[in-house]
Amino acid sequence: MQINQLMHFVTVIEKASFTAAAYALHISQPSLSTSIKRLEDEIGFKLIDRSHRNIQLTKEGELLYNESKKLVMHFNQVKDTALKLKENGPPHLSIGLIESAKHWTAQVVKSYKLSYPDVFIELEPVLSIEEIIKAFEDFDVHVAITNQYINDKTITSVPLYEEKLVAVLPLDNPLKNKKFIQIRDLKEAELIISHEGYQTRKDILQSFNKLGITPNIKFEIGRFDFVSDFVKSGLGVAIMPEKYAESLDHNKIHICEIEDSVTLRTVYLVYDNKRYLSPFTKEFIDLVLEYFGKAPLNNMNQ
């Protein structure tokens, strides 16, 4: 018994005519009759009482019709779902993300959900270039936001914005009354810094090294939210990206620009250009580009 045979059988009953059913199924009437006859031979009983001029079901045929109709309807639903998946991909979006971008990303995701309320969104932390490339290779993420340029011909990197690193101080820090400071002002400060492997840590240490200063590192913490909590508690000073610092409660911390730090980091949107981008993914990319005043994906060289 094949699904096509059941579809033929159900269509004949619904159309109440072999001729009309054959037309609807885009097959010849003899082929349709043969299909129904083979189904009857296979199951061992008649489905249609052919002693009447009009289409009439046998008792067994009526029972099989009711069950076959359910199966055919479900099959059509599965087929429609498969076509939608082929066109749009699954309703799932996985975003690789640096922590400092979470503030503005939340605003973009909020807009995105207005158009795609049913899409499941997953955020994955990303650190190194190697991790991002592996995440694409393993299909763990559809798109990523990173502060590192990826020099790989299979990955497109779109620059979104540049940002400085700023000093974040407890409110009782002696430097709190200054809008601008220099790296030398932080020479004795108890520094809270990211773990090895974070690009922000490399940028910070590079700024100190240029001046021949060894920073007084007291804490290594992997997440900016924990870092900011430590600063609020007066446990030390942190240096972090300005966009993340702007999202903090300024009633509990003080932010100073660093005059002599030439560190400017670029934040990129990256995606695998050899991979199919579903409309779900393209819409998110376009919303991010729109947020930063960039041209949409279709207008860019991929």
Side-chain angles (χ1 to χ4, degrees):
M1 185 185 303
Q2 298 178 357
I3 187 66
N4 282 346
Q5 292 174 308
L6 297 178
M7 290 178 66
H8 294 167
F9 170 53
V10 168
T11 305
V12 167
I13 304 308
E14 290 180 342
K15 297 295 183 181
S17 163
F18 274 87
T19 302
Y23 181 81
L25 293 165
H26 305 290
I27 61 174
S28 67
Q29 186 173 331
S31 296
L32 178 58
S33 297
T34 299
S35 176
I36 301 297
K37 183 66 170 59
R38 284 178 178 171
L39 177 59
E40 291 176 325
D41 291 343
E42 183 178 342
I43 60 180
F45 53 81
K46 297 293 183 182
L47 299 170
I48 299 173
D49 186 349
R50 290 175 174 79
S51 64
H52 299 272
R53 183 172 182 179
N54 297 326
I55 298 291
Q56 289 192 13
L57 287 167
T58 63
K59 290 183 179 180
E60 297 86 353
E62 186 174 352
L63 292 172
L64 189 65
Y65 167 73
N66 290 332
E67 295 304 316
S68 297
K69 186 175 181 179
K70 296 176 188 176
L71 182 61
V72 169
M73 288 178 63
H74 183 65
F75 175 80
N76 287 332
Q77 289 175 351
V78 171
K79 186 168 67 173
D80 288 344
T81 299
L83 288 173
K84 289 177 181 178
L85 287 173
K86 181 180 179 181
E87 293 174 359
N88 300 326
H92 170 238
L93 179 65
S94 182
I95 306 165
L97 191 67
I98 51 174
E99 189 186 358
S100 62
K102 70 176 186 178
H103 178 63
W104 64 260
T105 304
Q107 299 176 49
V108 173
V109 168
K110 184 177 181 179
S111 298
Y112 180 87
K113 293 294 280 186
L114 294 176
S115 300
Y116 296 101
D118 297 327
V119 174
F120 174 74
I121 296 179
E122 184 179 12
L123 299 181
E124 295 285 348
V126 293
L127 295 179
S128 67
I129 291 176
E130 292 75 16
E131 286 178 330
I132 296 173
I133 293 175
K134 188 175 188 304
F136 281 133
E137 290 176 347
D138 295 343
F139 291 84
D140 288 335
V141 299
H142 297 93
V143 63
I145 308 297
T146 176
N147 60 327
Q148 300 182 78
Y149 177 77
I150 302 177
N151 187 18
D152 188 310
K153 64 181 180 180
T154 67
I155 295 177
T156 297
S157 297
V158 183
L160 296 177
Y161 59 90
E162 286 187 334
E163 64 178 348
K164 302 174 184 176
L165 295 179
V166 296
V168 181
L169 315 171
L171 290 179
D172 61 355
N173 189 282
L175 299 172
K176 68 178 182 179
N177 295 321
K178 292 188 176 183
K179 183 178 179 181
F180 299 97
I181 62 171
Q182 296 183 344
I183 287 291
R184 292 188 183 277
D185 294 326
L186 300 176
K187 181 178 180 180
E188 303 298 331
E190 296 188 342
L191 193 64
I192 306 169
I193 197 168
S194 305
H195 292 303
E196 292 282 354
Y198 286 70
Q199 184 62 38
T200 304
R201 177 191 175 101
K202 296 177 183 176
D203 294 338
I204 292 169
L205 295 182
Q206 184 178 17
S207 294
F208 279 92
N209 291 337
K210 283 181 178 178
L211 299 174
I213 298 173
T214 301
N216 181 25
I217 299 174
K218 291 298 183 181
F219 299 96
E220 290 187 349
I221 302 177
R223 291 172 57 92
F224 282 136
D225 53 354
F226 292 157
V227 171
S228 59
D229 286 342
F230 272 51
V231 174
K232 292 173 189 175
S233 298
L235 293 171
V237 170
I239 299 175
M240 58 178 61
E242 62 180 337
K243 282 197 176 295
Y244 185 86
E246 288 169 1
S247 69
L248 300 177
D249 185 352
H250 292 198
N251 292 318
K252 296 182 178 180
I253 53 93
H254 180 73
I255 297 174
C256 284
E257 293 188 28
I258 305 174
E259 285 184 310
D260 60 342
S261 175
V262 295
T263 299
L264 266 180
R265 69 184 214 162
T266 303
V267 175
Y268 300 90
L269 179 148
V270 299
Y271 60 90
D272 189 339
N273 56 44
K274 69 180 185 300
R275 179 176 173 182
Y276 167 71
L277 295 179
S278 72
F280 299 134
T281 304
K282 287 181 179 178
E283 176 67 11
F284 177 78
I285 291 174
D286 282 345
L287 282 174
V288 172
L289 295 175
E290 180 184 345
Y291 186 85
F292 290 102
K294 306 287 184 178
L297 187 63
N298 289 339
N299 294 345
M300 298 172 59
N301 293 324
Q302 297 187 37

